[in-house]
Each structure stands twice: as structure tokens, then as C-alpha cells.
């Protein structure tokens, strides 16, 4: 069945489910496959539960005309989602990067929501299943969409961009993460910049560029590239639209920003600064905030509305969160970790005026052959951060040459806390999500 024909069927049954446990009456079941499951095996069950049709890609499961046989269900899911996206002539913003893409997505959402009805990626649905899922949520009420894109292998961003067909996009940064999949830091850069490559193919493609990031600037070489709302902490750069600087971060980030060139055109207030007190931990978040400001300005959001949105935004899901318990103050950044984000967190923690300090750090996953070297480098950096007590969790940190207390797994940490809970500390908690350190705040 051709994709346009299949889409017409979808319009008659505008609900696609990939979970046989959730089969609304009249919906379409699409049989995806995973490492430990084959959706084709659940197609008949989905029909029995209320689905009108089942899309499968193995012939033996296509028992009657309620089954639609395709070559590849995942590709069909992406193609169908792209066809749905094409029904809406609205700006679509793609956001990717090694660190901060989810926080930046949420900040951009908050800023744009001051003026528009916004659709944005929920949670971390940023892969080749999550992006289509987000696109299918588009309705005629939405005026703008924000699509987060994650990657762990070369070609991932290219595929996601071709699915979502963004009209503009930004890369938060590039760092040494998922090296096992990318092969090298250069592989990370090339893969993230697949977003730029896609946007260059569009007549209406706009790039939001961090003009201070040499790795990203180096990728923008052709003169035909449209520079739209780049942001920079260097106000001397002629294409700078947004500049900003940290006022304080002890521990919540307060910063100020301005539009050095555009304010001259608006009201002559080239030196006018806008101060914002955020609810975010970490000076490194200023890049994410400036990105949101740049996008907001490009889409006509008023400066006062931008400041209100950024001040009102409160982080969740163990990302740059400040939590206070009856026993300690916690800086929880345990959703993800890689060498660049770990270094930034430690450097920021070192600048916070608090005593005593403690850090509970978990392994950084998917670093491949670079894992031992990167974990040792982080262990060496800890000593420069003025931390009084350090606990390291996981097999990778266990192999480092250092004198900090080491735990094999989370259960050992929990046992240590139960035996003698730290009291009166400011505690940094950071590690890859699979280390499950997000469970610790309830115990501290």
C-alpha cells in the first residue's frame, strides 16, 4: 500500500498504537520490533482488543484484509509520520546536541508558549520511534512544533530530520558522549551537524548557531547559509544577536542578556540588559537559556515575556534540580552523564559557596575504548573542585586510581546511607541514567 493511501486510512482512523496493551476502539496497530519482542506476534491480539487494522511486516501474520503488509514497519511509521507532518505548514524547530538538548527544548517551549500554541517532544521521545510519536500529536490547533532529536550512531540525525522535516534547528553543543557508537569525537560532530546538512537543503531552512562554539562554527562554511538569530557571549562578533553573562550562581543561576545589534534598531537601547533569576542549577545553563532567547526573539516573543518564561521555568526529571531535604541540600543532575557534562557539573559545584560539600558520581556509559581514560580524567578533576566527601559508583569508576570511596552499585550506596546518612552537606548527584542515582534524593 502506498504511503498516501495508507495516510488516507489513518485519517479515517486517526490513532496509531504500537502497544498491544493499549488499543483504543477503531485505532491502527503498528507492529514494531525490539531487541526482545516482535510486534507482529501481537497483531491479532490488538485486533481483538479493538484495533480496526494492524500493520505488519511479516507475511505469515497477515491473516485477512484487516492486516496491512509492508516491507518494514518502523520505516512505514516514519514515512506515515512525515506525511502527517506535511499537512501542517508551521515552523518546526529541531533541537539536538550532546548536552542540554532536553533542558533547551523545555526552555524554548516555555518561551514560545508565551505567544503560541506549542507542540513539543514529551520526555525523552527523541529517537526514531519517539519522533514519529510526537509528530502524530500535531493538530490544527498547533502553531509551532519543537522536536528533540537524539543520536547514538552516525546517520541518526539525518534520519530524524528527514522524518520531521524541520524548518529551523539548533545544536546545543558537541561533546564526548556515545563514543562507542560514534567511534570518535569527530564522529559526534559530524552526526550532530547532519541537522545543518538537512536545513541547507531547504529554501526556508534557518540555523540557530552558537557563535562561540568553534566546532559548530567550523561547519558553517558556505556563504549561502542563512544566519538567523545566532547567540553569543562575544558581543563583538558582527553576526551576534544575543549576548549574555552570569551574574551569580550560588546555587541558582542569575544572568543578564541583551541584543546588542537589534536593540539599536528597536529603541537605541544597545546597552539595555535584561536580568533573569532562574530556578536552574549550573552556570553552564546560560548557553541553553540564550538559545531559548534567540528562538523566542526570532519568532516575535516580547522581551518581557521571554524573561517571565525563563524565570518561571522549573526543572524536573533530575536535570539541574535543587532539592532541599530535612538533612541536606541536593543538586540533582542524574538523568545523564558524559565527560563534558560531568566536567561542567564539577566546575560549577566548585564555584558554589557551601560547606561541607559531597559528590555522589556514577559511571558514564557508552564511552567505548575511551571509557577508562575519561573516568580517570574525571577522578583527577574531582580534587580541584573543593569537595569534602566523594563517593564513586560503578565498575568504571572502581578501576580509577584514586582514594575516594567506591561502590559497585546503587544498592551498596543505599546500604551505606541507611547505616550512616550524611548530614548537613550540599550534595552533587550525577551519573548516567542507567546508574539509577535519581533514587537517592528520597534517602538523603
Amino acid at each position: 500500500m502506498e504511503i498516501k493511501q495508507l495516510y488516507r486510512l489513518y485519517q479515517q482512523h486517526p490513532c496509531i498504537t504500537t502497544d498491544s496493551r493499549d488499543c483504543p476502539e477503531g485505532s491502527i496497530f503498528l507492529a514494531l520490533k525490539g531487541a526482545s519482542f516482535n510486534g507482529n506476534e501481537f497483531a491479532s491480539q490488538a485486533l481483538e482488543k479493538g484495533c480496526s487494522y494492524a500493520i505488519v511486516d511479516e507475511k505469515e501474520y497477515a491473516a485477512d484484509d484487516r492486516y496491512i503488509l509492508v516491507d518494514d514497519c518502523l520505516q512505514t511509521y516514519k514515512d506515515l509520520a512525515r506525511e502527517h507532518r506535511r499537512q501542517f505548514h508551521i515552523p518546526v524547530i529541531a533541537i539536538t546536541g550532546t548536552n542540554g538538548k532536553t533542558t533547551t527544548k523545555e526552555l524554548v517551549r516555555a518561551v514560545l508558549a508565551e505567544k503560541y500554541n506549542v507542540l513539543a517532544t514529551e520526555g525523552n521521545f527523541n529517537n526514531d520511534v519517539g519522533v514519529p510519536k510526537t509528530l502524530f500529536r500535531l493538530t490544527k490547533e498547533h502553531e509551532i512544533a519543537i522536536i528533540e532529536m537524539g543520536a547514538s550512531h552516525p546517520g541518526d540525525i539525518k534520519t530524524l530530520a528527514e522524518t520531521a522535516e524541520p524548518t529551523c534547528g539548533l545544536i546545543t553543543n558537541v561533546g564526548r558522549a556515545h563514543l562507542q557508537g560514534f567511534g570518535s569525537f569527530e564522529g559526534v560532530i559530524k552526526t550532530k551537524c547532519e541537522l545543518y546538512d538537512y536545513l541547507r537543503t531547504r529554501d526556508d531552512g534557518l540555523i540557530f548557531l552558537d557563535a562561540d562554539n568553534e566546532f559548530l562554527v567550523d561547519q558553517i562554511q558556505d556563504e549561502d547559509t542563512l544566519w538567523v538569530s545566532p547567540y553569543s557571549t562575544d558581543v563583538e562578533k558582527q553576526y551576534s544577536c544575543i549576548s549574555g553573562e552570569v551574574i551569580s550562581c550560588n546555587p541558582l543561576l542569575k544572568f543578564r542578556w541583551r541584543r546588542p545589534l537589534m536593540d539599536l534598531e528597536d529603541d537605541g537601547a544597545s546597552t539595555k540588559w535584561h536580568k533573569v533569576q532562574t530556578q536552574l542549577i549550573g552556570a553552564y545553563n546560560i548557553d541553553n537559556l540564550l538559545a531559548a532567547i534567540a528562538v523566542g526573539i526570532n519568532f516575535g516573543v516580547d522581551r518581557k515575556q521571554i524573561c517571565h518564561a525563563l524565570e518561571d521555568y522549573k526543572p524536573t526529571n533530575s536535570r539541574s534540580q535543587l532539592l532541599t531535604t530535612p538533612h541536606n541540600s541536593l543538586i540533582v543532575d542524574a538523568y545523564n552523564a558524559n565527560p563534558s557534562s560531568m566536567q561542567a557539573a564539577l566546575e560549577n559545584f566548585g564555584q558554589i559557596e557551601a560547606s561541607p560539600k559531597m559528590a555522589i558520581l556514577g559511571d558514564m556509559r557508552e564511552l567505548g575504548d575511551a571509557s577508562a581514560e575519561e573516568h580517570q580524567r574525571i577522578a583527577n578533576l574531582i580534587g580541584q573542585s573543593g569537595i569534602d566527601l566523594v563517593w564513586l559508583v560503578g565498575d568504571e569508576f572502581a578501576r580509577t586510581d584514586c582514594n575516594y570511596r567506591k561502590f559497585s552499585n546503587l544498592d551498596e550506596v543505599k546500604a551505606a546511607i541507611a547505616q550512616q546518612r550524611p548530614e548537613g552537606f550540599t550534595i552533587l548527584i550525577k551519573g548516567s541514567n542507567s546508574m539509577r542515582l535519581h533514587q537517592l534524593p528520597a534517602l538523603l
Side-chain angles (χ1 to χ4, degrees):
M1 183 178 291
E2 295 293 330
I3 201 67
K4 289 186 179 298
Q5 183 181 0
L6 186 56
Y7 185 71
R8 286 194 291 271
L9 184 66
Y10 165 76
Q11 290 176 308
Q12 299 169 26
H13 303 271
C15 177
I16 289 185
T17 178
T18 60
D19 187 345
S20 61
R21 296 166 297 183
D22 180 21
C23 296
E25 191 71 29
S27 61
I28 299 174
F29 175 74
L30 190 138
L32 295 179
K33 296 176 183 176
S36 59
F37 67 90
N38 181 351
N40 289 277
E41 298 176 355
F42 301 95
S44 61
Q45 180 180 327
L47 291 172
E48 292 172 2
K49 287 187 174 182
C51 289
S52 294
Y53 293 93
I55 300 174
V56 297
D57 56 13
E58 294 183 13
K59 189 174 182 179
E60 59 266 34
Y61 293 97
D64 55 47
D65 57 6
R66 294 179 302 165
Y67 296 84
I68 301 169
L69 182 64
V70 299
D71 293 334
D72 184 294
C73 279
L74 178 57
Q75 187 59 52
T76 297
Y77 194 37
K78 291 184 284 190
D79 292 345
L80 199 57
R82 180 174 59 242
E83 187 66 24
H84 182 64
R85 178 260 180 274
R86 288 177 176 173
Q87 311 306 307
F88 304 91
H89 303 289
I90 61 174
V92 175
I93 306 165
I95 299 178
T96 190
T98 301
N99 304 314
K101 54 184 174 288
T102 299
T103 297
T104 301
K105 177 255 299 182
E106 290 300 321
L107 291 169
V108 171
R109 184 218 294 253
V111 167
L112 293 179
E114 293 284 323
K115 184 176 181 179
Y116 300 98
N117 187 322
V118 181
L119 171 76
T121 300
E122 297 292 347
N124 63 338
F125 290 140
N126 60 16
N127 60 13
D128 55 359
V129 174
V131 167
K133 186 180 182 71
T134 300
L135 293 174
F136 278 119
R137 290 173 45 224
L138 269 172
T139 69
K140 62 182 180 180
E141 282 75 30
H142 292 117
E143 298 170 289
I144 198 164
I146 308 166
I147 308 296
E148 181 181 331
M149 297 181 178
S152 54
H153 297 88
D156 284 352
I157 297 300
K158 178 179 184 293
T159 297
L160 296 178
E162 290 173 348
T163 300
E165 295 187 341
T167 58
C168 53
L170 68 89
I171 301 173
T172 57
N173 50 53
V174 287
R176 296 176 65 80
H178 298 296
L179 295 180
Q180 188 171 354
F182 292 124
S184 65
F185 179 51
E186 290 71 23
V188 175
I189 297 173
K190 183 177 180 181
T191 301
K192 299 300 182 184
C193 288
E194 289 169 1
L195 177 57
Y196 290 169
D197 296 337
Y198 172 80
L199 291 171
R200 288 192 187 99
T201 69
R202 296 185 64 100
D203 292 336
D204 60 348
L206 308 180
I207 292 174
F208 295 91
L209 176 71
D210 180 352
D212 282 341
N213 191 311
E214 59 180 319
F215 300 113
L216 297 179
V217 172
D218 286 348
Q219 305 301 312
I220 306 297
Q221 297 174 352
D222 60 289
E223 294 180 0
D224 293 332
T225 298
L226 186 58
W227 300 76
V228 177
S229 297
Y231 48 94
S232 173
T233 54
D234 180 359
V235 299
E236 299 300 323
K237 293 187 176 179
Q238 63 178 2
Y239 45 76
S240 176
C241 176
I242 303 300
S243 63
E245 59 187 39
V246 174
I247 296 175
S248 61
C249 193
N250 196 34
L252 295 177
L253 172 61
K254 184 178 183 179
F255 77 105
R256 63 180 190 170
W257 65 274
R258 64 179 178 178
R259 307 187 303 171
L261 298 184
M262 295 178 71
D263 277 339
L264 280 172
E265 299 174 3
D266 288 350
D267 52 24
S270 62
T271 60
K272 184 178 181 180
W273 289 94
H274 310 281
K275 294 182 180 179
V276 178
Q277 174 63 66
T278 78
Q279 300 181 62
L280 286 163
I281 288 286
Y284 49 83
N285 272 306
I286 190 170
D287 292 335
N288 305 328
L289 290 155
L290 293 178
I293 293 168
V295 175
I297 286 176
N298 183 71
F299 288 102
V301 182
D302 180 82
R303 283 167 286 188
K304 289 183 179 179
Q305 291 177 310
I306 290 174
C307 291
H308 171 265
L310 298 181
E311 288 182 339
D312 203 45
Y313 172 72
K314 188 172 183 179
T316 57
N317 298 328
S318 300
R319 290 182 172 96
S320 300
Q321 283 184 273
L322 176 65
L323 301 177
T324 301
T325 74
H327 313 285
N328 301 286
S329 294
L330 311 179
I331 297 173
V332 186
D333 196 10
Y335 186 82
N336 207 352
N338 55 61
S340 53
S341 69
M342 188 74 82
Q343 178 176 341
L346 286 170
E347 290 174 349
N348 183 78
F349 194 45
Q351 296 170 9
I352 292 176
E353 296 176 8
S355 182
K357 293 181 181 179
M358 178 181 181
I360 304 176
L361 307 178
D363 280 354
M364 304 172 289
R365 296 292 175 82
E366 298 183 50
L367 293 180
D369 293 340
S371 186
E373 176 185 353
E374 293 296 342
H375 280 85
Q376 185 61 56
R377 188 175 69 84
I378 294 300
N380 296 341
L381 282 173
I382 294 172
Q384 305 171 25
S385 302
I387 303 174
D388 302 284
L389 179 63
V390 177
W391 289 2
L392 301 179
V393 188
D395 295 336
E396 296 298 325
F397 270 128
R399 288 189 278 270
T400 58
D401 182 15
C402 62
N403 295 320
Y404 304 120
R405 186 172 180 182
K406 299 175 181 177
F407 300 83
S408 296
N409 52 55
L410 183 66
D411 290 337
E412 291 184 5
V413 178
K414 290 180 176 180
I417 294 173
Q419 184 175 14
Q420 187 173 9
R421 179 176 48 214
E423 297 272 357
F425 283 87
T426 297
I427 305 176
L428 170 65
I429 303 174
K430 187 167 181 62
S432 286
N433 192 40
S434 59
M435 297 303 297
R436 299 178 293 124
L437 298 188
H438 60 270
Q439 297 181 19
L440 294 181
L443 306 177
L444 291 166

